[in-house]
Amino acid sequence: MAIDGLIILDPAGRPIIQSSYTTYPAAYPLLHIEALNNALAKAPREGSVDPVIYVGELSCSSACCHVEVGEMRFIATISGDADPLIAFAFLHAFIEILHDYFGTVSVATLKDNFDIVYQLLEETLDSSGHPLTTSPNALSDIVLSPSLISKLLASVSPATPGVPSARQGGYGAFASPIPWRKAGVRHNHNEILFDVVEEMRGIVGKNGTTLVSNVFGKIESNAKLSGTPDLTLTFTNANVMTECAFHPCVRLQKWTRDNALSFVPPEGRFVLADYQYRPPQSAVISNVPIPLSLKANMDMGEFGGTFALTLTSRLIKVMENLELKFYLGEDATSAQCTLSSAGSSVGSVGSADGSWAFDMRTKTLRWEILNMRSSGSWILRGSWTSKIKAPRPAHAFQIRFEIPSYSFSSLKVDQLRLSSETYKMYKGVRMRSKGSIEWRW
Amino acid sequence: MDGINLNALSENATRLGMRIQETIAEHTRDLSLTRGGSSLFDMADDKAKNITKQLESSSDREKLDAMKRLIALISKNRPVSSYFPAVVKNVASPNLELRKLVYIYLLRCAPSEPDLALLSINTFQRDLADPSPLIRAMALRVLSGIRVPTVATIVLMAVRKSAADPSPYVRKAAALAVMKVYKLDQAHHTALLDIMTTLLRDRSPLSLGTAVLALDTIAPSRLDLLHVHFRRLCRALPDIDAWGQVDVLRVLVRYARTMLPKPVPASEKQGEEVDKDLKLLLACAEPLFMNNNPAVVLAVARAFYYLAPPSMLSKIAAPLLRLLSVSREVERVALVYLLVVARSHPVLFITSHNRLLVRGDDAEQVKRTKICVLLALCTVDNHQTLLREFVDYAQDTDDSVVGDAVHAIGRIASLVPSSTPQCLTALMGMINSKQDIIVSNAVLVLKSLVQNQLLTPSSASTMTLATSLSSQHALLTSSILSLTPSISTSLSAAPLSSTSPESTPAAQAPLSIIAQLARRIDDIRHPHARACVLWLVGQYGSVPGTGTTVEGVADWAPDVLRKAAKSFNTEVCFNPPRNSPAYVKSYQASLVKLQTLTLAAKLILLAPTHRTLVLLARHVLTLARYDEDWDVRDRARMLGALLVGAVAGVLSSNDEEGIGENWNKEEQAGRLGVVLRREQVTRVLFEGKTGTIEEEQAAGKCFCLLIFDTARFVCDYEL
């Protein structure tokens, strides 16, 4: 029931930071690092490595749970009857904290602030392997963030005895009665922003019918509010949200009773709620229409094959950063394509907003369209070659896209009320959607 | 979170003003370097010499710098214990930033350097009275981290003091320390339990979770201590932090399973009966399904799975499905739990099976688990959809997924018997695939399907083989066991020729499938699959009466033997798994050779007078005699000896001299003197296998074992 420790690997697979494995043999963390690096080296395609790698070299069986962040790998090692789910929940929480402290998580930021990372590690994971404080607001009182001003304040502390400067952080911490919120926050300009991000995940079968398509939403918030603001957020169509999950600050009874989100927000960024979109007219979750269509003419031959793909948008809005990935199989050697487009609005053939590339390392063909307008269609024709007689490409295309200022659910905020504080605050809501569709052929 | 600690800013504004001038020079350097952590992190090792000097300087800046260097050294796994005395001096520094780094150093080094830590134990004890709860908690953590049994009493005193601390943060540290003292020296068990009673009375949700965890660690059997706290713990659940909720729920579930009556399911006479404490626990836990921490959701699901009355069990379905969309990693783990629930309560997930469809970009393990879950959800209503899915998955780019998908089709056939024709059509279609991995898996599955159909009397009208054999079972067994020739006179012709497969006109009748497989033997190159087909041909290659080219043998069978004999010496491990050791490769090649031998033996037993067949068989036996694998050599020797009485001229013929002659002499010299009659040999070679039941768990793994059943049977009787 415990996490043995945490290791952060740089892109080359070398450890940058690791928690103390004092009660374990010296080889223990190294074995896990090696197991992961081996698995990554062997993986036939991107993303096929098992997130939980069993390590059986030692007398006690243990496992290496890993998450990729940027190019780095975060590893939590577990042993005995520990639940890998706790390890992953902790890793995600820890990565979230690092984002909070450093803005971006990269090798450079971690090396620059390694002392803070170590402090965070000690505060978030006990040596017995149990997660401790992981709420960013509570942590920020214990471990100071690296911004220049707080740095200055910390090192300015007097060399003379007499004034016990330990008070400066010592009393600030744990003074708040609300575990996720700092006490005594003051802002000149009070504001709270909500970003509603919806992601469609779907699979389209060989015959073009939608096998499944669901929309998962997330309400991300950024709060800069003074004092102890008590907020109530209501929606005009709260019934489109189902299977919700909330930040601990949300009063669950209130939501269950009258579908209103009542909460005292933490400071800064946090995810207020996760939900799944349920089309209002249906009682059960049904498929949401997919906003694009793909026609694929595939011809498999010996030592390669040819294809002609036609993409059409079914949406009035412009889709951005559309990306189609096609894994050509382990033995693929090259690919050659031509781009063209057809339809009313697009005049030029092979317009500039499309591009393709074949990645030799991942053996994946990638087709990108930066702006996909509502009318017209985009065509990619090409062929690929393979080392083996009967090539073995993936029988599905992975399509990703983004739609700015759009939501599949048309979730609408009714109002946001502030009680317990008197100031005026700036409120904002933004919608954003993205999609990840598998199209089989 | 921009990290600007405005609170601290206002507090320090005045002090800042006073001191800013004397320190400004140093800080401008700091500003221009933008922290410079990276340069510290990657510094050369020879710079480490200065650390002790820096630690002893009077400037906090120097000391901080030195501590950072030390932590960088720790990070690179360099020995740092030699700095211990210099570091400990700074433990009482008024600079909080410095002190925290000192404590991080101590937390790292104290467990491995207990003697040095012991020297400074007074300092830590003094810090237990520090005004800052942060320092008090850290001091307690360092103290409890020193693993020397002699200090256990001192630590115990510290824990007792901290358990009554006004700050819940320190009380939390006390609960964690309880576990560490217990691990260090179990003699203090009673004293620790005493402290636990204080900690469990805690009103703050911050420390309550850890207290319950500590109780669970030091006294897992003392659930009775929770009697007084049970209801309070239930009500406090929503306020405890996520990690605590997981621990508390686990303990409370155990408590409820031990102490509370099991819910009585609703019957005709009365409604559902649920204990009111159990109801309270479930009611308090249910809102936590909406927690955003996946570990908590799973803990609640676990509570409902074990405790909830049947009517409430359905509540776990949606939250478990939600976990699948949290992240790739969470999906991987949650799927395994979902599989457990789906196997025992498939009805919970049947309507949402489309949430579990495999995507091409899933991790390999995720794909395989999803296939297992889908199989668990297979019913008469959805088997068509699932079959279509599995046919799609058979084109996956991961070999193991292809295997699982093809075997899943076989499972559908056995789960929903009415779907067998469709499944067979799908599998026969795969035989024509260009991908060897698909072909070989399809053959393996077809083999077990065909065999099961032939062996289940009710399933197919063609099923006479097994029944006819089993009717003679008693007689045969006794005849073999006694090995007296007189009994076998009661048997008429060879049992196999008495079997009459009254072939059904259906295109996919089992025997016609075997025929198709036999015709495609050249295209089937995977050793397991090849061996399978050879076995099938031999086992079911008999036809009654005349009308075929070779009397008693199906038309397609002899040619298979011819082809197998031709390629006997060129059998190789086809497409070996990467980095597989040499013995695996030779084992796979031998697999085909062994089955070629078995096929030869069976065919000449069916047509003992057919000259070409006997010559072919003899050719194969001779080839095997000089094979490099002793298994193959032994099998040839054994089959030759077995057949010597049943088939004339299997080892040597009267009209031909040569190798056979020598062999014959050799054999006769070493023979024990028992010669089996044809009927007995038939029994030995053809029976000895019952139906194969494809295990859900080990689908695809049992086949190679089953092939060898016949051989093992023979060996038993030879002794």
Side-chain angles (χ1 to χ4, degrees):
Chain A
M1 257 315 286
I3 301 166
D4 305 336
L6 187 137
I7 308 167
I8 304 175
L9 298 185
D10 68 4
R14 286 182 306 252
I16 315 173
I17 281 167
Q18 77 182 48
S19 61
S20 59
Y21 281 90
T22 39
T23 53
Y24 299 90
Y28 191 84
L30 296 177
L31 276 173
H32 286 86
I33 295 170
E34 200 183 284
L36 174 63
N37 284 333
N38 283 346
L40 288 174
K42 261 194 230 158
R45 64 176 170 89
E46 230 182 331
S48 69
V49 179
D50 193 345
V52 186
I53 297 171
Y54 180 75
V55 182
E57 270 95 343
L58 292 152
S59 53
C60 63
S61 58
S62 61
C64 162
C65 306
H66 57 99
V67 175
E68 189 175 11
V69 180
E71 294 259 88
M72 295 180 290
R73 292 268 169 183
F74 282 60
I75 307 178
T77 60
I78 53 169
S79 58
D81 61 348
D83 186 348
L85 199 57
I86 295 182
F88 285 124
F90 175 74
L91 279 177
H92 288 309
F94 190 71
I95 293 162
E96 205 42 54
I97 292 167
L98 292 183
H99 272 293
D100 220 69
Y101 267 78
F102 310 129
T104 54
V105 181
S106 66
V107 179
T109 53
L110 292 190
K111 279 192 175 176
D112 263 349
N113 300 294
F114 68 95
D115 53 322
I116 294 176
V117 180
Y118 273 103
Q119 289 185 43
L120 290 172
L121 203 52
E122 289 298 342
E123 282 306 320
T124 49
L125 188 66
D126 185 66
S127 59
S128 65
H130 294 276
L132 299 171
T133 319
T134 50
S135 151
N137 273 236
L139 272 175
S140 66
D141 284 339
I142 307 171
V143 181
L144 300 182
S145 84
S147 68
L148 284 175
I149 288 185
S150 71
K151 201 66 216 163
L152 196 65
L153 290 172
S155 45
V156 146
S157 60
T160 46
V163 187
S165 78
R167 284 168 183 272
Q168 71 172 348
Y171 279 133
F174 325 116
S176 168
I178 307 166
W180 60 84
R181 189 175 171 82
K182 281 193 269 204
V185 183
R186 285 278 163 262
H187 288 285
N188 287 330
H189 178 66
N190 290 297
E191 65 167 15
I192 182 160
L193 302 170
F194 298 99
D195 273 301
V196 180
V197 184
E198 293 190 340
E199 180 173 8
M200 167 180 273
R201 265 169 255 180
I203 302 176
V204 181
K206 282 188 169 143
N207 49 6
T209 52
T210 306
L211 298 173
V212 59
S213 76
N214 290 312
V215 171
F216 301 94
K218 223 183 231 324
I219 304 178
E220 292 168 355
S221 314
N222 190 359
K224 292 193 181 98
L225 299 173
S226 314
T228 314
D230 197 331
L231 301 170
T232 310
L233 181 66
T234 50
F235 302 94
T236 48
N237 52 349
N239 60 333
V240 299
M241 296 159 82
T242 177
E243 290 186 27
C244 300
F246 299 106
H247 189 274
C249 68
V250 175
R251 298 185 182 98
L252 300 176
Q253 284 92 342
K254 191 105 189 214
W255 168 259
T256 323
R257 204 172 54 233
D258 35 53
N259 277 357
L261 289 175
S262 159
F263 58 99
V264 177
E267 262 296 284
R269 294 187 177 281
F270 63 101
V271 175
L272 180 65
D274 294 276
Y275 62 89
Q276 191 183 345
Y277 166 48
R278 178 179 61 192
Q281 56 275 16
S282 61
V284 290
I285 299 164
S286 59
N287 286 341
V288 183
I290 290 176
L292 51 81
S293 77
L294 174 71
K295 230 200 257 127
N297 284 321
M298 307 297 294
D299 190 14
M300 295 256 279
E302 289 182 355
F303 302 106
T306 57
F307 51 87
L309 312 177
T310 310
L311 262 176
T312 320
S313 168
R314 288 178 186 158
L315 204 68
I316 298 163
K317 287 247 174 206
V318 173
M319 277 192 238
E320 288 185 356
N321 300 327
L322 186 130
E323 174 198 79
L324 180 142
K325 275 189 183 175
F326 179 29
Y327 176 65
L328 292 173
E330 234 178 308
D331 306 287
T333 48
S334 69
Q336 197 58 48
C337 307
T338 50
L339 288 161
S340 58
S341 47
S344 54
S345 64
V346 191
S348 61
V349 171
S351 58
D353 53 358
S355 67
W356 68 272
F358 174 66
D359 185 344
M360 262 316 276
R361 197 174 56 82
T362 57
K363 310 283 182 196
T364 307
L365 180 76
R366 183 207 300 264
W367 178 22
E368 279 176 326
I369 301 170
L370 292 179
N371 278 296
M372 186 161 166
R373 286 168 298 276
S374 54
S375 58
S377 50
W378 277 254
I379 301 162
L380 182 78
R381 279 196 192 86
S383 60
W384 84 93
T385 56
S386 169
K387 270 185 288 196
I388 49 171
K389 198 173 173 191
R392 213 173 146 191
H395 276 251
F397 304 99
Q398 306 296 337
I399 306 171
R400 284 174 194 281
F401 56 85
E402 287 166 23
I403 314 169
S405 333
Y406 177 79
S407 82
F408 291 101
S409 65
S410 24
L411 180 73
K412 220 174 155 48
V413 172
D414 182 27
Q415 55 171 334
L416 179 67
R417 276 192 311 273
L418 171 68
S419 53
S420 79
E421 295 285 339
T422 49
Y423 53 79
K424 282 259 182 290
M425 60 175 180
Y426 174 77
K427 302 168 263 193
V429 182
R430 263 192 314 196
M431 299 284 179
R432 189 153 59 90
S433 289
K434 48 188 180 176
S436 153
I437 310 289
E438 165 164 320
W439 205 290
R440 296 186 189 156
W441 56 274
Chain B
M1 243 314 291
D2 55 9
I4 300 174
N5 192 332
L6 285 170
N7 191 27
L9 180 66
S10 59
E11 262 184 41
N12 286 282
T14 41
R15 251 186 295 138
L16 179 67
M18 294 198 302
R19 315 222 171 259
I20 199 94
Q21 271 185 319
E22 37 185 285
T23 47
I24 199 80
E26 278 182 277
H27 298 148
T28 42
R29 187 157 61 96
D30 194 19
L31 288 164
S32 63
L33 279 174
T34 59
R35 296 212 78 222
S38 192
S39 55
L40 281 179
F41 189 86
D42 292 327
M43 71 172 173
D45 280 2
D46 54 311
K47 289 217 177 149
K49 275 179 262 169
N50 290 331
I51 290 179
T52 319
K53 214 166 86 194
Q54 280 184 304
L55 281 173
E56 281 162 1
S57 83
S58 56
S59 152
D60 277 0
R61 265 206 61 79
E62 288 287 309
K63 289 179 178 176
L64 263 174
D65 197 57
M67 283 313 299
K68 281 186 195 166
R69 280 168 198 272
L70 266 182
I71 288 167
L73 286 178
I74 293 176
S75 190
K76 287 191 267 186
N77 273 326
R78 303 279 196 280
V80 286
S81 50
S82 55
Y83 303 103
F84 205 97
V87 174
V88 164
K89 279 181 207 155
N90 292 306
V91 82
S93 161
N95 184 324
L96 187 74
E97 185 85 346
L98 178 60
R99 254 166 106 168
K100 279 194 290 195
L101 291 181
V102 169
Y103 268 110
I104 285 177
Y105 174 87
L106 292 174
L107 285 168
R108 287 283 170 133
C109 295
S112 50
E113 299 291 336
D115 298 336
L116 287 170
L118 225 52
L119 292 174
S120 42
I121 209 156
N122 282 333
T123 328
F124 309 135
Q125 280 183 287
R126 203 166 51 236
D127 275 354
L128 286 172
D130 195 274
S132 159
L134 191 61
I135 294 296
R136 292 202 298 274
M138 275 189 148
L140 185 63
R141 278 163 70 186
V142 174
L143 260 181
S144 57
I146 306 172
R147 287 199 308 266
V148 183
T150 43
V151 296
T153 2
I154 301 173
V155 181
L156 194 67
M157 273 164 57
V159 175
R160 187 172 287 132
K161 185 167 170 248
S162 308
D165 198 276
S167 163
Y169 183 79
V170 180
R171 298 201 295 272
K172 186 171 179 168
L176 289 166
V178 163
M179 297 193 278
K180 284 172 199 156
V181 176
Y182 178 72
K183 275 199 192 118
L184 183 66
D185 188 354
Q186 310 203 341
H188 297 290
H189 192 234
T190 35
L192 288 173
L193 270 184
D194 212 41
I195 298 172
M196 281 315 305
T197 43
T198 322
L199 284 171
L200 281 174
R201 274 202 297 272
D202 207 312
R203 292 277 152 195
S204 164
L206 186 67
S207 50
L208 201 52
T210 324
V212 174
L213 173 70
L215 179 74
D216 191 42
T217 311
I218 69 162
S221 58
R222 293 297 304 277
L223 287 171
D224 55 298
L225 291 175
L226 290 177
H227 283 325
V228 280
H229 303 297
F230 179 79
R231 286 175 199 168
R232 192 168 56 85
L233 282 175
C234 287
R235 292 198 185 95
L237 256 185
D239 299 322
I240 298 174
D241 71 306
W243 313 109
Q245 283 169 343
V246 176
D247 294 323
V248 172
L249 268 171
R250 193 186 64 243
V251 175
L252 288 184
V253 166
R254 214 152 56 76
Y255 177 90
R257 292 180 84 185
T258 321
M259 302 289 183
L260 302 179
K262 207 178 164 182
V264 182
S267 62
E268 285 165 17
K269 286 174 201 158
Q270 57 184 36
E272 210 164 54
E273 221 175 88
V274 186
D275 182 82
K276 77 176 194 319
D277 281 333
L278 187 57
K279 238 182 210 162
L280 175 74
L281 172 58
L282 292 175
C284 292
E286 198 187 327
L288 299 186
F289 272 135
M290 292 189 272
N291 197 296
N292 61 359
N293 187 320
V296 177
V297 177
L298 185 79
V300 188
R302 206 179 263 139
F304 273 71
Y305 183 73
Y306 286 118
L307 302 176
S311 62
M312 289 169 84
L313 199 60
S314 59
K315 288 180 196 283
I316 71 175
L320 274 180
L321 286 170
R322 180 171 72 73
L323 289 188
L324 302 184
S325 60
V326 172
S327 72
R328 283 174 66 87
E329 294 83 18
V330 171
E331 179 185 29
R332 152 78 172 88
V333 184
L335 262 176
V336 180
Y337 292 112
L338 201 139
L339 176 61
V340 175
V341 184
R343 283 207 169 127
S344 54
H345 305 282
V347 73
L348 293 180
F349 300 104
I350 279 177
T351 49
S352 36
H353 71 82
N354 62 1
R355 296 276 298 269
L356 295 154
L357 300 184
V358 173
R359 281 186 64 133
D361 53 356
D362 283 335
E364 182 184 325
Q365 198 55 47
V366 170
K367 291 180 184 173
R368 302 185 68 180
T369 318
K370 278 182 173 173
I371 291 177
C372 286
V373 177
L374 288 175
L375 265 183
L377 304 180
C378 178
T379 63
V380 180
D381 299 323
N382 64 13
H383 77 267
Q384 303 256 10
T385 325
L386 293 186
L387 182 62
R388 271 199 300 276
E389 282 296 313
F390 291 142
V391 171
D392 280 356
Y393 304 160
Q395 292 177 319
D396 200 275
T397 47
D398 290 330
D399 285 356
S400 52
V401 177
V402 173
D404 283 2
V406 178
H407 285 286
I409 295 173
R411 282 288 299 164
I412 290 188
S414 62
L415 289 170
V416 186
S418 62
S419 71
T420 309
Q422 278 173 289
C423 295
L424 286 175
T425 313
L427 289 167
M428 288 309 290
M430 289 178 182
I431 298 286
N432 297 320
S433 167
K434 281 187 190 137
Q435 304 296 341
D436 293 297
I437 185 81
I438 302 178
V439 177
S440 57
N441 277 295
V443 168
L444 292 172
V445 175
L446 273 174
K447 179 211 144 239
S448 70
L449 274 182
V450 165
Q451 210 188 350
N452 277 342
Q453 272 203 314
L454 288 170
L455 287 169
T456 320
S458 57
S459 71
S461 58
T462 53
M463 198 39 262
T464 47
L465 186 77
T467 41
S468 74
L469 281 172
S470 60
S471 66
Q472 293 161 358
H473 186 83
L475 278 172
L476 279 164
T477 312
S478 58
S479 76
I480 297 283
L481 285 177
S482 59
L483 291 174
T484 43
S486 62
I487 295 182
S488 60
T489 51
S490 64
L491 295 169
S492 52
L496 268 166
S497 46
S498 73
T499 64
S500 52
E502 298 132 17
S503 308
T504 45
Q508 303 297 1
L511 287 179
S512 77
I513 291 173
I514 300 177
Q516 288 189 45
L517 287 174
R519 288 191 189 102
R520 287 187 47 97
I521 184 78
D522 285 338
D523 306 330
I524 299 167
R525 276 168 292 174
H526 193 274
H528 276 200
R530 242 179 117 76
C532 251
V533 175
L534 292 178
W535 183 86
L536 277 173
V537 168
Q539 186 72 14
Y540 302 107
S542 68
V543 286
T546 53
T548 51
T549 324
V550 181
E551 199 175 315
V553 180
D555 275 341
W556 35 263
D559 203 41
V560 175
L561 179 61
R562 182 186 66 81
K563 286 173 177 164
K566 208 171 151 190
S567 63
F568 191 86
N569 277 338
T570 52
E571 290 298 346
V572 282
C573 175
F574 167 74
N575 196 8
R578 256 168 280 172
N579 310 324
S580 59
Y583 68 86
V584 172
K585 293 178 192 174
S586 73
Y587 159 80
Q588 295 207 338
S590 300
L591 208 59
V592 184
K593 292 180 180 172
L594 291 173
Q595 285 312 313
T596 310
L597 286 171
T598 311
L599 171 68
K602 284 175 177 171
L603 288 187
I604 55 167
L605 196 63
L606 292 171
T609 53
H610 195 276
R611 189 178 146 77
T612 318
L613 267 185
V614 174
L615 282 174
L616 253 181
R618 215 162 74 194
H619 177 60
V620 172
L621 284 173
T622 315
L623 284 176
R625 196 171 140 77
Y626 297 100
D627 197 83
E628 60 182 340
D629 186 353
W630 58 266
D631 247 353
V632 177
R633 297 198 300 271
D634 279 2
R635 183 70 63 89
R637 189 181 298 268
M638 183 195 73
L639 288 172
L642 193 67
L643 290 166
V644 79
V647 182
V650 62
L651 294 180
S652 72
S653 58
N654 299 331
D655 52 20
E656 279 177 67
E657 299 292 322
I659 302 161
E661 176 97 16
N662 300 331
W663 194 349
N664 202 11
K665 279 182 200 153
E666 235 176 76
E667 291 294 315
Q668 272 170 344
R671 185 167 301 144
L672 292 169
V674 178
V675 176
L676 296 188
R677 298 161 59 96
R678 185 175 169 217
E679 294 76 15
Q680 293 168 319
V681 178
T682 306
R683 156 81 173 132
V684 167
L685 280 183
F686 281 89
E687 220 190 329
K689 286 184 65 151
T690 46
T692 51
I693 290 141
E694 201 179 319
E695 290 297 324
E696 198 165 354
Q697 294 281 4
K701 284 175 191 149
C702 52
F703 293 99
C704 57
L705 294 175
L706 288 168
I707 292 170
F708 292 125
D709 270 1
T710 324
R712 215 181 295 140
F713 188 90
V714 175
C715 295
D716 288 347
Y717 288 111
E718 272 225 320
L719 292 170

